[in-house]
Amino acid sequence: MISTTMAKIINILPDKFVTYISKKVVDKYLKKYANINIEGSENLKGIKTPTIFICNHLSNSDGLVLDKALKEIDPTFVAGVKLSNSAVTSIGVNVIKTTNIKPNTADKKGLKKIIKLVKQGESLLIFPEGTRSRVGSLIEAKKGILLIARMTGTPIVPIGLYGTEKLLPINKEGDMSAETFNYTDVHINIGKQFEFPKRAKEQDKKEYEDFATKYIMKKIAELLPENYRGVYK
């Protein structure tokens, strides 16, 4: 990908230039390396908004390709703060609308901002797994998606995504700036909008959370080839 030095230079420019140049860089890489195939676009017609898009997470390029697929709705992506901390990955953050949240913590400030965005009519895109899958298939979702879905009361649109794990593979040493693009096909499968399941009277808190998590994650799994479904087969 773009060098760390070049990324740092871009990021110190005035905001309007940072956004403009970042978009040019990202567009160049996606046009060169990714053959993007989108299915289910018809499921976006006439949907209720604001809505929450949920998708599996395989690569730092996921947000970049999804942003193009959902450009008409233009959702805000819920991203971990560490993406903004790296000069290289922040180039991608500059291209798409994001709101930060601290992973694996009770980030009340981040959550409050997310709820406010939805109340203002903004749709969201969330990766329920909370991190990129290192095994190339679905891993267990974090509880954050349940909290956000219940507090906003918005309908949900599932998306199945694959091929990005080859487009921009995760660096084994964890160095995001060392990740590089490769030529590959990317597949985006957009499902039908659905309502978040309500809690039945006989369900206790844990039982309901387990049920709701599996329910929404299987909506994603149904849009993926079997070998990508992981723990939600």
Side-chain angles (χ1 to χ4, degrees), residues 9-24 94:
I9 292 172
I10 291 173
N11 281 309
I12 63 173
L13 294 171
D15 288 348
K16 64 179 181 179
F17 291 112
V18 170
T19 301
Y20 175 79
I21 296 173
S22 296
K23 284 184 177 181
K24 289 292 184 182
N94 291 332

Side-chain angles (χ1 to χ4, degrees), residues 155-171:
I156 299 172
V157 177
I159 299 175
L161 171 68
Y162 60 100
T164 52
E165 79 283 2
K166 298 174 183 176
L167 177 64
L168 188 63
I170 297 173
N171 179 266

Side-chain angles (χ1 to χ4, degrees), residues 174-208:
D175 182 1
M176 292 185 185
S177 64
E179 295 175 357
T180 57
F181 279 88
N182 300 281
Y183 296 98
T184 194
D185 293 329
V186 172
H187 298 270
I188 300 171
N189 194 0
I190 303 169
K192 293 182 179 181
Q193 189 176 54
F194 66 94
E195 297 292 332
F196 186 73
K198 295 181 179 179
R199 181 176 174 178
K201 291 181 179 179
E202 66 274 12
Q203 288 179 312
D204 62 30
K205 185 173 182 291
K206 186 180 185 306
E207 183 183 7
Y208 168 67

Side-chain angles (χ1 to χ4, degrees), residues 87-104:
V88 174
T89 55
S90 66
I91 294 297
V93 173
N94 291 332
V95 173
I96 59 180
K97 291 191 301 184
T98 60
T99 183
N100 289 338
I101 195 164
K102 296 175 183 176
N104 305 313

